[in-house]
mmCIF file of all heavy atoms in Angstrom:
data_model
loop_
_atom_site.group_PDB
_atom_site.id
_atom_site.type_symbol
_atom_site.label_atom_id
_atom_site.label_comp_id
_atom_site.label_asym_id
_atom_site.label_seq_id
_atom_site.Cartn_x
_atom_site.Cartn_y
_atom_site.Cartn_z
ATOM 1 N N ILE C 126 -28.285 4.781 1.307
ATOM 2 C CA ILE C 126 -29.475 5.166 0.546
ATOM 3 C C ILE C 126 -30.495 4.035 0.534
ATOM 4 O O ILE C 126 -31.707 4.269 0.647
ATOM 5 C CB ILE C 126 -29.066 5.555 -0.891
ATOM 6 C CG1 ILE C 126 -28.245 6.856 -0.868
ATOM 7 C CG2 ILE C 126 -30.287 5.712 -1.783
ATOM 8 C CD1 ILE C 126 -27.714 7.279 -2.228
ATOM 9 N N HIS C 127 -29.999 2.792 0.433
ATOM 10 C CA HIS C 127 -30.911 1.638 0.432
ATOM 11 C C HIS C 127 -31.680 1.535 1.745
ATOM 12 O O HIS C 127 -32.877 1.197 1.753
ATOM 13 C CB HIS C 127 -30.104 0.360 0.192
ATOM 14 C CG HIS C 127 -30.931 -0.887 0.269
ATOM 15 N ND1 HIS C 127 -31.844 -1.246 -0.697
ATOM 16 C CD2 HIS C 127 -30.996 -1.868 1.223
ATOM 17 C CE1 HIS C 127 -32.437 -2.379 -0.357
ATOM 18 N NE2 HIS C 127 -31.932 -2.778 0.800
ATOM 19 N N GLN C 128 -31.017 1.835 2.860
ATOM 20 C CA GLN C 128 -31.650 1.693 4.168
ATOM 21 C C GLN C 128 -32.467 2.921 4.569
ATOM 22 O O GLN C 128 -33.223 2.871 5.543
ATOM 23 C CB GLN C 128 -30.566 1.445 5.234
ATOM 24 C CG GLN C 128 -29.853 0.109 5.123
ATOM 25 C CD GLN C 128 -30.765 -1.058 5.465
ATOM 26 O OE1 GLN C 128 -31.806 -0.894 6.097
ATOM 27 N NE2 GLN C 128 -30.376 -2.252 5.042
ATOM 28 N N TRP C 129 -32.330 4.016 3.862
ATOM 29 C CA TRP C 129 -33.003 5.264 4.231
ATOM 30 C C TRP C 129 -34.508 5.094 4.483
ATOM 31 O O TRP C 129 -35.027 5.540 5.520
ATOM 32 C CB TRP C 129 -32.756 6.326 3.159
ATOM 33 C CG TRP C 129 -33.416 7.649 3.448
ATOM 34 C CD1 TRP C 129 -34.713 8.000 3.169
ATOM 35 C CD2 TRP C 129 -32.825 8.784 4.086
ATOM 36 N NE1 TRP C 129 -34.969 9.288 3.581
ATOM 37 C CE2 TRP C 129 -33.828 9.795 4.145
ATOM 38 C CE3 TRP C 129 -31.566 9.053 4.594
ATOM 39 C CZ2 TRP C 129 -33.590 11.055 4.701
ATOM 40 C CZ3 TRP C 129 -31.329 10.310 5.154
ATOM 41 C CH2 TRP C 129 -32.328 11.285 5.209
ATOM 42 N N PRO C 130 -35.263 4.456 3.584
ATOM 43 C CA PRO C 130 -36.712 4.328 3.804
ATOM 44 C C PRO C 130 -37.079 3.563 5.077
ATOM 45 O O PRO C 130 -38.166 3.771 5.629
ATOM 46 C CB PRO C 130 -37.192 3.574 2.550
ATOM 47 C CG PRO C 130 -36.128 3.817 1.529
ATOM 48 C CD PRO C 130 -34.848 3.856 2.306
ATOM 49 N N SER C 131 -36.192 2.694 5.529
ATOM 50 C CA SER C 131 -36.487 1.924 6.744
ATOM 51 C C SER C 131 -36.474 2.809 7.982
ATOM 52 O O SER C 131 -37.183 2.537 8.964
ATOM 53 C CB SER C 131 -35.460 0.792 6.916
ATOM 54 O OG SER C 131 -35.480 -0.083 5.804
ATOM 55 N N PHE C 132 -35.670 3.862 7.958
ATOM 56 C CA PHE C 132 -35.542 4.743 9.111
ATOM 57 C C PHE C 132 -36.344 6.037 8.954
ATOM 58 O O PHE C 132 -36.779 6.632 9.947
ATOM 59 C CB PHE C 132 -34.063 5.084 9.346
ATOM 60 C CG PHE C 132 -33.233 3.903 9.771
ATOM 61 C CD1 PHE C 132 -32.597 3.095 8.826
ATOM 62 C CD2 PHE C 132 -33.102 3.567 11.111
ATOM 63 C CE1 PHE C 132 -31.843 1.995 9.212
ATOM 64 C CE2 PHE C 132 -32.351 2.466 11.505
ATOM 65 C CZ PHE C 132 -31.729 1.682 10.567
ATOM 66 N N PHE C 133 -36.528 6.471 7.718
ATOM 67 C CA PHE C 133 -37.263 7.718 7.474
ATOM 68 C C PHE C 133 -38.326 7.493 6.394
ATOM 69 O O PHE C 133 -38.244 8.046 5.293
ATOM 70 C CB PHE C 133 -36.299 8.830 7.034
ATOM 71 C CG PHE C 133 -35.153 9.039 7.980
ATOM 72 C CD1 PHE C 133 -33.882 8.558 7.660
ATOM 73 C CD2 PHE C 133 -35.324 9.690 9.197
ATOM 74 C CE1 PHE C 133 -32.813 8.747 8.522
ATOM 75 C CE2 PHE C 133 -34.261 9.874 10.066
ATOM 76 C CZ PHE C 133 -33.010 9.410 9.736
ATOM 77 N N PRO C 134 -39.335 6.669 6.709
ATOM 78 C CA PRO C 134 -40.346 6.329 5.695
ATOM 79 C C PRO C 134 -41.160 7.521 5.214
ATOM 80 O O PRO C 134 -41.684 7.500 4.091
ATOM 81 C CB PRO C 134 -41.232 5.309 6.423
ATOM 82 C CG PRO C 134 -41.035 5.596 7.877
ATOM 83 C CD PRO C 134 -39.606 6.025 8.005
ATOM 84 N N ASP C 135 -41.265 8.551 6.034
ATOM 85 C CA ASP C 135 -42.079 9.715 5.664
ATOM 86 C C ASP C 135 -41.264 10.840 5.030
ATOM 87 O O ASP C 135 -41.788 11.923 4.767
ATOM 88 C CB ASP C 135 -42.810 10.254 6.899
ATOM 89 C CG ASP C 135 -43.726 9.215 7.523
ATOM 90 O OD1 ASP C 135 -44.319 8.425 6.760
ATOM 91 O OD2 ASP C 135 -43.836 9.180 8.765
ATOM 92 N N THR C 136 -39.962 10.584 4.824
ATOM 93 C CA THR C 136 -39.091 11.605 4.224
ATOM 94 C C THR C 136 -38.334 11.003 3.055
ATOM 95 O O THR C 136 -37.167 10.615 3.173
ATOM 96 C CB THR C 136 -38.092 12.152 5.275
ATOM 97 O OG1 THR C 136 -38.798 12.518 6.464
ATOM 98 C CG2 THR C 136 -37.353 13.372 4.738
ATOM 99 N N PRO C 137 -38.991 10.899 1.917
ATOM 100 C CA PRO C 137 -38.319 10.293 0.752
ATOM 101 C C PRO C 137 -37.176 11.168 0.252
ATOM 102 O O PRO C 137 -37.215 12.398 0.366
ATOM 103 C CB PRO C 137 -39.440 10.194 -0.285
ATOM 104 C CG PRO C 137 -40.421 11.257 0.108
ATOM 105 C CD PRO C 137 -40.375 11.316 1.608
ATOM 106 N N LEU C 138 -36.161 10.519 -0.284
ATOM 107 C CA LEU C 138 -35.026 11.248 -0.847
ATOM 108 C C LEU C 138 -35.410 11.866 -2.193
ATOM 109 O O LEU C 138 -36.231 11.322 -2.925
ATOM 110 C CB LEU C 138 -33.837 10.303 -1.042
ATOM 111 C CG LEU C 138 -33.199 9.741 0.238
ATOM 112 C CD1 LEU C 138 -32.169 8.672 -0.122
ATOM 113 C CD2 LEU C 138 -32.544 10.850 1.042
ATOM 114 N N THR C 139 -34.790 12.981 -2.479
ATOM 115 C CA THR C 139 -35.011 13.650 -3.759
ATOM 116 C C THR C 139 -33.669 13.824 -4.456
ATOM 117 O O THR C 139 -32.623 13.874 -3.798
ATOM 118 C CB THR C 139 -35.654 15.032 -3.562
ATOM 119 O OG1 THR C 139 -34.752 15.875 -2.823
ATOM 120 C CG2 THR C 139 -36.974 14.904 -2.800
ATOM 121 N N PRO C 140 -33.664 13.910 -5.776
ATOM 122 C CA PRO C 140 -32.394 14.074 -6.509
ATOM 123 C C PRO C 140 -31.603 15.301 -6.069
ATOM 124 O O PRO C 140 -30.374 15.325 -6.154
ATOM 125 C CB PRO C 140 -32.854 14.209 -7.966
ATOM 126 C CG PRO C 140 -34.165 13.502 -8.016
ATOM 127 C CD PRO C 140 -34.812 13.773 -6.682
ATOM 128 N N GLN C 141 -32.310 16.330 -5.582
ATOM 129 C CA GLN C 141 -31.622 17.553 -5.166
ATOM 130 C C GLN C 141 -30.939 17.409 -3.809
ATOM 131 O O GLN C 141 -30.027 18.175 -3.493
ATOM 132 C CB GLN C 141 -32.613 18.721 -5.098
ATOM 133 C CG GLN C 141 -33.224 19.129 -6.435
ATOM 134 C CD GLN C 141 -34.340 18.186 -6.882
ATOM 135 O OE1 GLN C 141 -34.882 17.436 -6.080
ATOM 136 N NE2 GLN C 141 -34.661 18.233 -8.171
ATOM 137 N N LEU C 142 -31.370 16.439 -3.016
ATOM 138 C CA LEU C 142 -30.842 16.308 -1.649
ATOM 139 C C LEU C 142 -30.404 14.879 -1.344
ATOM 140 O O LEU C 142 -30.739 14.326 -0.295
ATOM 141 C CB LEU C 142 -31.896 16.764 -0.624
ATOM 142 C CG LEU C 142 -32.302 18.244 -0.687
ATOM 143 C CD1 LEU C 142 -33.473 18.509 0.253
ATOM 144 C CD2 LEU C 142 -31.122 19.122 -0.297
ATOM 145 N N LEU C 143 -29.670 14.287 -2.240
ATOM 146 C CA LEU C 143 -29.164 12.937 -2.007
ATOM 147 C C LEU C 143 -27.960 12.984 -1.061
ATOM 148 O O LEU C 143 -27.098 13.861 -1.188
ATOM 149 C CB LEU C 143 -28.750 12.287 -3.329
ATOM 150 C CG LEU C 143 -29.881 11.896 -4.274
ATOM 151 C CD1 LEU C 143 -29.304 11.360 -5.577
ATOM 152 C CD2 LEU C 143 -30.798 10.863 -3.624
#
Side-chain angles (χ1 to χ4, degrees):
I126 292 176
H127 176 72
Q128 292 291 342
W129 180 276
S131 301
F132 293 90
F133 306 104
D135 300 324
T136 310
L138 293 172
T139 63
Q141 295 78 18
L142 296 173
L143 289 176

